[in-house]
Amino acid sequence: MTGKATPVTEETLNPFHICQRQLLEACQALGLEPGVYEILKQPMKVMEVAVPVIMDDGRVKTFIGWRSQHNDALGPFKGGLRFHPDVTMDEVKALSMWMTFKCAVLGLPYGGGKGAVRCDPRQMSRRELERLSRGFIQRVSEIVGPDKDIPAPDVYTNPQIMAWMVDEFSRVREHNCFGLMTGKPLVLGGSAGRSEATGRGCVYTCLEAMKRLGIAVEGARVVVQGFGNAGSVAARLMHERGARIIALNDSSGGILNAQGLDPVAVLAHKARTGSVVGFPGAQAISNDDLLQLECDVLIPAALENQITARIAAGVKARIIGEAANGPTTPEADEILLQRGVLVLPDILASAGGVTVSYFEWVQNQSGYYWPEEEVNQRLEVWMVRAFNGVYRMYQEQKVPMRQAAFMLSVKRVAEAMRVRGWLG
Ligand code: GLU
């Protein structure tokens, strides 16, 4: 292997460089031909768009957005669309690359893509968000489609946003294209179980890991960082299985109760007040302290670069189940390895969402819809199978779970590129 990756420092923490480094390590460990890294180190295409929106006060404001299509050797590009005020193009490129490997770890017939718009949806009205959503999909309409590139929800986007985009695209194409997006509302061809799928999938992988380490679910101490779509569901499902949710937080602050919090009651509190902060009977806890609590399972379900080297040095969890994309930095990974923490990497543990997106797309193609129990059962089968594949690689190759997951997926993508003749 002759490839070189840009060095990653704890100061810069550019997710794109992190991702390239993870890819390079996997290519080297597998002894792959140099062409594999050469092709995969960059997205195949990145489109930048400027979307002017007439705001409610009558002024025009332009928002910048991207769609990054990393690789489609295994099938159409697939991945979410995030709305966030701090998002950068490199972040979108990294997230699209992680999607390629996430889909490949699960064995889904997809490549990887990701999109984003730099905006703060919390400061925008419903009508402004609708205009932005419609404007964005118009701008990228030539590169997306049910057989080309299929977007889905991600940070701060939701089924309503998917619905506006499907509607706009369907108007442009002059026929209903429900298969364009996944994570749609049920009435518009969404799948039962999709909204819970990321949290649920993460729980399935954590339960498998707990079995391997001999940790009983009943009474297990669980900490959840981030109480959005993934974190709140993961907390609730763990709680339903008898685990104790000792702490959780959101972007406004954290709460702790060693006896255990009831995630359903916390969700109701958040719906009422806008945050988990001030939940009755709980103590306040900072983000750093929360990540370093003594617990059996820590579920980071927020953003990238949360578990840095500094944080990792104090992590006392036995298992980390990454429901977020890219929450752990490479330096932190090494420290966690030394500390004996089993890290279930994002490309495995956060893959429940895209797996049920795949089910949704299959249901759209066939026009036949499955009941929720069936979706959940199938999701469990897919997640457990993927976990077992990665765990086997981890044991056989004696590499961390993240590297095992990368090796498994890079191998699959490389094989597809080889048979397609891309590698010469
Ligand atoms: N945004 C989710 C992820 O990062 C889901 C993507 C999808 O369903 O296509 O995995």
Side-chain angles (χ1 to χ4, degrees), residues 195-221:
S195 60
E196 290 200 349
T198 306
R200 184 177 284 278
C202 179
V203 167
Y204 289 146
T205 55
C206 290
L207 295 176
E208 285 308 300
M210 290 166 84
K211 270 190 227 160
R212 306 293 170 123
L213 298 189
I215 303 172
V217 190
E218 187 72 43
R221 293 154 308 166

Side-chain angles (χ1 to χ4, degrees), residues 78-321:
K78 183 85 191 81
L81 197 54
R82 90 171 35 175
F83 284 1
H84 197 276
D86 305 323
V87 70
T88 63
M89 188 171 73
D90 269 2
E91 191 179 343
V92 181
K93 281 160 68 171
L95 289 161
S96 70
M97 196 151 155
W98 278 321
M99 283 311 299
T100 298
F101 303 122
K102 193 186 288 193
C103 293
V105 172
L106 265 290
L108 304 175
Y110 289 138
K114 198 79 163 204
V117 178
R118 194 185 292 149
C119 67
D120 190 350
R122 292 162 300 185
Q123 309 290 326
M124 294 170 71
S125 73
R126 184 181 160 88
R127 286 289 158 226
E128 288 169 346
L129 274 177
E130 176 174 352
R131 290 192 283 264
L132 176 62
S133 304
R134 290 184 186 276
F136 178 78
I137 205 72
Q138 275 177 20
R139 287 283 197 265
V140 300
S141 67
E142 74 216 52
I143 64 163
V144 296
D147 300 310
K148 266 186 180 175
D149 182 354
I150 308 134
D154 197 78
V155 175
Y156 294 146
T157 52
N158 56 33
Q160 175 61 74
I161 291 175
M162 302 302 112
W164 287 323
M165 292 192 179
V166 163
D167 182 68
E168 191 64 31
F169 188 83
S170 299
R171 267 195 223 172
V172 173
R173 298 288 156 108
E174 296 183 334
H175 69 274
N176 276 332
C177 301
F178 289 177
L180 165 71
M181 321 277 296
T182 56
K184 301 178 294 290
L186 281 184
V187 71
L188 223 62
S191 174
R194 174 62 185 87
S195 60
E196 290 200 349
T198 306
R200 184 177 284 278
C202 179
V203 167
Y204 289 146
T205 55
C206 290
L207 295 176
E208 285 308 300
M210 290 166 84
K211 270 190 227 160
R212 306 293 170 123
L213 298 189
I215 303 172
V217 190
E218 187 72 43
R221 293 154 308 166
V222 176
V223 171
V224 181
Q225 186 213 25
F227 206 61
N229 181 41
S232 64
V233 171
R236 179 169 58 73
L237 297 180
M238 277 295 196
H239 177 75
E240 278 172 11
R241 284 165 174 75
R244 237 182 322 141
I245 312 302
I246 58 170
L248 53 86
N249 71 2
D250 61 20
S251 55
S252 308
I255 53 174
L256 165 79
N257 183 340
Q259 305 310 309
L261 297 153
D262 174 0
V264 176
V266 177
L267 202 59
H269 175 82
K270 185 172 165 116
R272 236 183 1 258
T273 65
S275 162
V276 301
V277 173
F279 181 70
Q283 269 168 262
I285 182 166
S286 72
N287 189 45
D288 284 11
D289 290 347
L290 175 128
L291 294 171
Q292 296 180 328
L293 279 172
E294 190 171 325
C295 63
D296 297 294
V297 183
L298 168 62
I299 301 182
L303 293 169
E304 298 97 65
N305 297 334
Q306 298 299 302
I307 305 177
T308 56
R310 180 179 63 78
I311 296 286
V315 166
K316 295 177 224 33
R318 296 182 66 191
I319 296 169
I320 295 183

